[in-house]
Amino acid sequence: MPAEERYGASGDLVVRHARVLPMAFGGAVRGSPPTLPEVPDGAVAVVAGRIAYVGADTDLPAPLRALPTLDAAGRAVLPGLVDCHTHVPFAAWRADEHAERLAGATYAAQQGGEGGRPRGIARSAAQLAAAADADVLAFSHHRLGECLAAGTTTVELKSGYGLQAAQEMRLLALMQRLAAEVPQRVVRTGLFLHGPPPPPGREAWAQRVVSELMPRALAQGLLDGVDAFVEAIAYRLEDAVPLIEAAQRAGLATHLHAAQLEPSAAAAWAASRGLTSVDHLDHLDPDGVRALAASPTVAVLLPGATFLTGGATRPPARALLAAGACVAVATDLNPGTSPLTSLPEAAALACRLFELTMEEALAAVTVNAAAALGLGHEVGSLEVGKRGDLVVLEGDEPALLVYRLGHPAVETVVAAGRIAYRRSDGGAKAS
Amino acid sequence: MPAEERYGASGDLVVRHARVLPMAFGGAVRGSPPTLPEVPDGAVAVVAGRIAYVGADTDLPAPLRALPTLDAAGRAVLPGLVDCHTHVPFAAWRADEHAERLAGATYAAQQGGEGGRPRGIARSAAQLAAAADADVLAFSHHRLGECLAAGTTTVELKSGYGLQAAQEMRLLALMQRLAAEVPQRVVRTGLFLHGPPPPPGREAWAQRVVSELMPRALAQGLLDGVDAFVEAIAYRLEDAVPLIEAAQRAGLATHLHAAQLEPSAAAAWAASRGLTSVDHLDHLDPDGVRALAASPTVAVLLPGATFLTGGATRPPARALLAAGACVAVATDLNPGTSPLTSLPEAAALACRLFELTMEEALAAVTVNAAAALGLGHEVGSLEVGKRGDLVVLEGDEPALLVYRLGHPAVETVVAAGRIAYRRSDGGAKAS
């Protein structure tokens, strides 16, 4: 059935009598802690999918009172959450690799295919290549449905488990299908430099991506940004530079996976070139902190992977915030190291693992995550003109979002003015 | 409507073609790692609510093939999970106290009512006293529904937010109502020594609990066990001893909250007296480890509270396992320090925070948790004669249960042979 029918057709809605946290700061949030200019008895109106009013309920203009109404008394309302780093689509989990790590294996050794067993990115690529499109789509739809139920209304998808041209193009086409079929706003990233390269090897593949793959994807309108996995076990920074430069010339968003497994000059380079984001950063050094603080590049932290791969190192989150860097948090939803579909779960983990405050964590999954996708003008806060995306929590305390570990404190999710999810055990009253 | 109607009336069911992990070890599991005698193409049959067959699907007796059938091909089947430590019923979350701790407050200071604001156990007691029975029941039903959807088929409930006789008796009556209304097997614990005592004070209250409260609750048939919070900020071990001894004479299960906030002799004492369990243990010392290893007392670890209160200390889980102690893991579901309703979430946290392997974590939330309630003969493993409780995972890899942080990998939950929960996005095919 058409997407419109699946989640309601109007795009007009007013949420009333809520504790509204607009997360609006008049620009990208930097440093810590962000202020939270909340409206105690607030209303948010959405007309034709765009926010038309945010403010005191008593000041809600008369015409907007006639819209379909969601009474959110006793509930907090936040902007729809923005998950700025996922590896959807993929075809299957690799939970057994987590069990192997719990018994002593390391992620880096697994990527090398320890003991001759297929493991890591190469295994996901094999699973993807063996799976029918319909199965990849069904699996990915389930995951994005879980993301939605946890409050995510904007989600970045990455290719990357293709590992060669035909499969990467197939992934981009699947991403396009998903984008058309889910309620979320979807951002499409080509993670062209990821796992083991096809013959004749790394350097040739990195050149071919720039000369052939990215232009083809662009010509077909399938790409919002590019990404590269820069680590000793993957690509070198010099492999990624031509791709990033070409993408910047094409006006795309640019991202790097960097400093996840070891210290790296990639983060400071990304900051110096004004990339949209640089992600992971578990091993970010003080030079990298300074460079990010002095740049518009968003530092994206991925606590699911940090926690589940079991590394002892933590990204220097407090140093980044103290220096004034813009810090986002994402799920890193992927088959092998971070199965999180819930962005509140990522935020809750970030609070305790990386010592974020509640306010910093809320900014990290809304306004700052929007900036990490180059969409700060479009989503991530409740401001007139932005997309009508919001989350109604199960109570009036915003800290519920980072407290209820294991179960998102989300009752109702509105995407572009439509009710896209409502918890089946009740939820805010609609009238 | 009657409970029977809510989750199906028969109690007869056969699950077929699953990867069955019976978690059956011929007795309480001790030490690490437990073996997992799995059945690759297995069947589990339940007749009149009790397990009648566990084994190879090909050997399933003909009469059992005629039972209502759940085809679980491609799925792992585990025993229903046992949550051996929760503080349900309660009336409201205290998420704001978590935000305060993230900003620097400590749990111990909060219990003291820092800054004159009501905080901690005393605040939950005030919320409970102010709430109508119907509201406490509704809130608690939502929580137990979340527990069920995450796989919990046996759940311990504690009183404790009463803090005086009338409210404690009210809580026990509410627990009785919940026990009659939820699909789970409910175990009722009187946590009579918990927060600030009523006048004239701690010692008088501890005596009154033994002479008056416990006998009254026993006479009304409301009690399966007792518990006491032994910490510097709560009760002393000598306050708890007469209660524990009286409970043992009455044949009740006996538990202590011990060594959560500081080292304590309570755990070693509990082990020496053969209490059913001793819980928290973040500050357990080597003497306590040795004592627990030499006793039948189960060591119950509560990673939600450890993680969310932000203490740097971890319970010596590996030392306990190496010494041969029986280790369980529970949610500690409570308003202020551990809002976990998902036992898989607790297990996943325990793997990374306390270094449990997947096998140890699965045993910790099934067989060993059953032992922590004195119910090792009744629930916690798939063995003929035990209650027909089982969990169908969303795939055939048992590690999914401890991998999918933030979203339980549970598709279908069977309680006493009835389908008590099925994920709304599909699930194993019933025929």
Side-chain angles (χ1 to χ4, degrees):
Chain A
M1 77 187 104
E4 294 287 285
E5 286 179 31
R6 291 208 343 275
Y7 49 97
S10 86
D12 298 335
L13 187 76
V14 61
V15 178
R16 299 193 58 180
H17 301 299
R19 179 176 175 183
V20 175
L21 293 99
M23 304 300 293
F25 303 79
V29 178
R30 306 185 61 82
S32 70
T35 55
L36 288 174
E38 68 176 69
V39 188
D41 180 15
V44 182
V46 183
V47 175
R50 295 271 155 187
I51 296 174
Y53 177 83
V54 183
D57 192 86
T58 49
D59 297 337
L60 184 67
L64 300 178
R65 294 170 190 244
L67 295 176
T69 299
L70 194 70
D71 178 357
R75 271 91 167 166
V77 166
L78 288 165
L81 308 184
V82 178
D83 194 345
C84 65
H85 186 134
T86 89
H87 291 265
V88 177
F90 53 94
W93 298 116
R94 305 193 322 256
D96 51 348
E97 296 181 27
H98 180 57
E100 291 168 6
R101 288 193 300 271
L102 293 175
T106 69
Y107 173 57
Q110 287 177 324
Q111 287 291 356
E114 207 177 13
R117 294 165 301 186
R119 286 293 178 264
I121 294 167
R123 183 177 175 203
S124 283
Q127 290 169 330
L128 178 79
D133 282 357
D135 293 331
V136 180
L137 287 170
F139 188 93
S140 301
H141 265 295
H142 275 120
R143 303 292 81 75
L144 294 177
E146 293 170 7
C147 294
L148 180 74
T152 297
T153 53
T154 298
V155 60
E156 189 249 17
L157 310 182
K158 292 184 198 294
S159 70
Y161 294 115
L163 299 186
Q164 41 97 336
Q167 287 290 335
E168 279 292 299
M169 289 305 296
R170 176 191 176 212
L171 274 174
L172 294 177
L174 293 175
M175 286 157 63
Q176 192 71 359
R177 284 277 300 276
L178 290 168
E181 292 172 359
V182 299
Q184 288 106 326
R185 188 192 204 296
V186 167
V187 177
R188 307 154 305 166
T189 301
L191 173 53
F192 297 132
L193 303 179
H194 191 205
R202 188 169 48 77
E203 289 169 2
W205 174 246
Q207 287 168 18
R208 192 174 160 206
V209 161
V210 177
S211 63
E212 182 188 327
L213 196 56
M214 190 182 88
R216 202 192 316 168
L218 270 178
Q220 297 182 26
L222 298 174
L223 220 48
D224 300 307
V226 301
D227 195 351
F229 185 26
V230 176
E231 291 286 346
I233 61 165
Y235 285 85
R236 297 175 192 170
L237 180 56
E238 59 260 36
D239 299 324
V241 168
L243 172 63
I244 296 295
E245 290 178 344
Q248 286 185 324
R249 285 192 297 273
L252 297 177
T254 47
H255 314 277
L256 284 186
H257 286 58
Q260 178 184 7
L261 303 172
E262 72 260 325
S264 154
W269 177 84
S272 73
R273 298 301 180 95
L275 269 64
T276 319
S277 79
V278 56
D279 302 30
H280 281 294
L281 304 177
D282 296 66
H283 291 262
L284 186 69
D285 60 20
D287 282 347
V289 171
R290 276 188 293 274
L292 283 165
S295 84
T297 303
V298 179
V300 178
L301 309 182
L302 305 169
T306 300
F307 189 61
L308 289 171
T309 56
T313 306
R314 301 280 177 264
R318 289 250 54 90
L320 283 164
L321 288 160
C326 185
V327 173
V329 166
T331 61
D332 192 18
L333 169 52
N334 79 67
T337 61
S338 186
L340 274 64
T341 52
S342 164
L343 201 45
E345 180 82 6
L349 291 175
C351 285
R352 272 302 172 208
L353 296 175
F354 304 160
E355 301 180 32
L356 267 59
T357 65
M358 183 262 284
E359 293 82 358
E360 289 162 348
L362 294 185
V365 296
T366 56
V367 277
N368 292 4
L373 294 173
L375 290 180
H377 57 292
E378 178 71 15
V379 297
S381 62
L382 298 175
E383 293 182 81
V384 171
K386 283 195 173 181
R387 194 172 187 263
D389 296 341
L390 58 88
V391 169
V392 183
L393 301 191
E394 63 182 11
D396 70 356
E397 174 52 56
L400 283 166
L401 200 79
V402 298
Y403 181 51
R404 292 214 59 205
L405 208 61
H407 191 89
V410 168
E411 199 174 69
T412 305
V413 180
V414 172
R418 302 181 187 105
I419 293 178
Y421 169 79
R422 185 173 304 178
R423 192 187 278 185
S424 60
D425 64 0
K429 275 182 300 177
S431 63
Chain B
M1 77 188 103
E4 295 287 283
E5 285 181 28
R6 292 206 345 274
Y7 49 95
S10 86
D12 298 335
L13 188 76
V14 61
V15 179
R16 299 192 58 179
H17 301 301
R19 180 176 175 183
V20 176
L21 294 99
M23 305 299 293
F25 302 81
V29 179
R30 308 187 59 83
S32 69
T35 55
L36 288 174
E38 68 176 71
V39 187
D41 180 14
V44 182
V46 183
V47 174
R50 296 272 153 186
I51 296 175
Y53 176 84
V54 183
D57 192 86
T58 49
D59 297 336
L60 183 67
L64 299 178
R65 293 171 192 244
L67 295 177
T69 299
L70 194 71
D71 179 356
R75 272 89 168 168
V77 166
L78 288 165
L81 309 185
V82 178
D83 194 345
C84 65
H85 185 136
T86 89
H87 291 265
V88 176
F90 53 94
W93 298 116
R94 306 193 322 256
D96 51 349
E97 297 181 26
H98 180 58
E100 291 169 7
R101 288 194 300 271
L102 293 174
T106 69
Y107 172 56
Q110 287 177 324
Q111 288 290 356
E114 207 176 14
R117 294 167 301 187
R119 287 291 178 266
I121 294 167
R123 184 177 175 204
S124 282
Q127 291 169 330
L128 178 78
D133 282 358
D135 292 333
V136 180
L137 287 169
F139 187 93
S140 300
H141 264 296
H142 275 121
R143 301 296 79 77
L144 294 177
E146 293 169 8
C147 294
L148 180 73
T152 297
T153 53
T154 297
V155 60
E156 190 249 17
L157 310 182
K158 292 184 200 291
S159 69
Y161 294 115
L163 300 187
Q164 40 97 336
Q167 286 290 334
E168 279 291 298
M169 289 304 297
R170 177 190 176 213
L171 274 174
L172 293 178
L174 293 175
M175 285 157 64
Q176 193 69 359
R177 284 276 302 275
L178 289 167
E181 292 172 0
V182 301
Q184 288 105 329
R185 188 191 205 294
V186 166
V187 178
R188 306 153 307 165
T189 301
L191 173 53
F192 296 131
L193 303 179
H194 191 205
R202 187 169 49 78
E203 289 170 2
W205 173 246
Q207 287 169 17
R208 191 174 160 207
V209 161
V210 177
S211 64
E212 183 190 326
L213 196 57
M214 191 183 90
R216 202 192 315 168
L218 271 177
Q220 296 183 26
L222 297 174
L223 219 49
D224 300 309
V226 301
D227 195 351
F229 184 25
V230 176
E231 290 286 346
I233 61 164
Y235 286 85
R236 297 174 192 171
L237 180 56
E238 59 260 36
D239 300 325
V241 167
L243 173 64
I244 297 296
E245 291 178 344
Q248 286 185 324
R249 284 192 299 272
L252 296 178
T254 48
H255 313 278
L256 285 186
H257 285 60
Q260 179 183 9
L261 303 173
E262 72 259 327
S264 155
W269 177 84
S272 73
R273 299 301 181 96
L275 269 63
T276 319
S277 80
V278 56
D279 302 32
H280 279 296
L281 304 177
D282 296 66
H283 291 263
L284 186 69
D285 59 21
D287 282 347
V289 170
R290 277 189 293 272
L292 283 166
S295 84
T297 304
V298 179
V300 178
L301 308 183
L302 305 169
T306 299
F307 188 61
L308 289 172
T309 57
T313 306
R314 302 280 177 264
R318 289 251 54 90
L320 283 164
L321 288 160
C326 184
V327 172
V329 165
T331 61
D332 193 17
L333 168 53
N334 79 66
T337 61
S338 186
L340 275 64
T341 53
S342 164
L343 201 46
E345 180 82 8
L349 291 174
C351 286
R352 272 300 172 209
L353 295 175
F354 304 158
E355 301 181 34
L356 267 60
T357 65
M358 183 263 283
E359 293 83 358
E360 290 163 346
L362 294 184
V365 295
T366 55
V367 277
N368 292 4
L373 294 173
L375 290 179
H377 57 292
E378 178 72 13
V379 297
S381 63
L382 298 175
E383 294 181 83
V384 171
K386 283 195 172 182
R387 194 173 187 260
D389 297 340
L390 58 87
V391 169
V392 183
L393 300 191
E394 64 182 10
D396 70 356
E397 175 50 58
L400 283 166
L401 199 78
V402 299
Y403 181 50
R404 292 215 58 206
L405 208 61
H407 191 90
V410 168
E411 198 174 70
T412 305
V413 180
V414 173
R418 302 180 186 105
I419 293 177
Y421 169 80
R422 186 173 305 178
R423 193 187 277 184
S424 62
D425 64 359
K429 273 181 301 176
S431 63

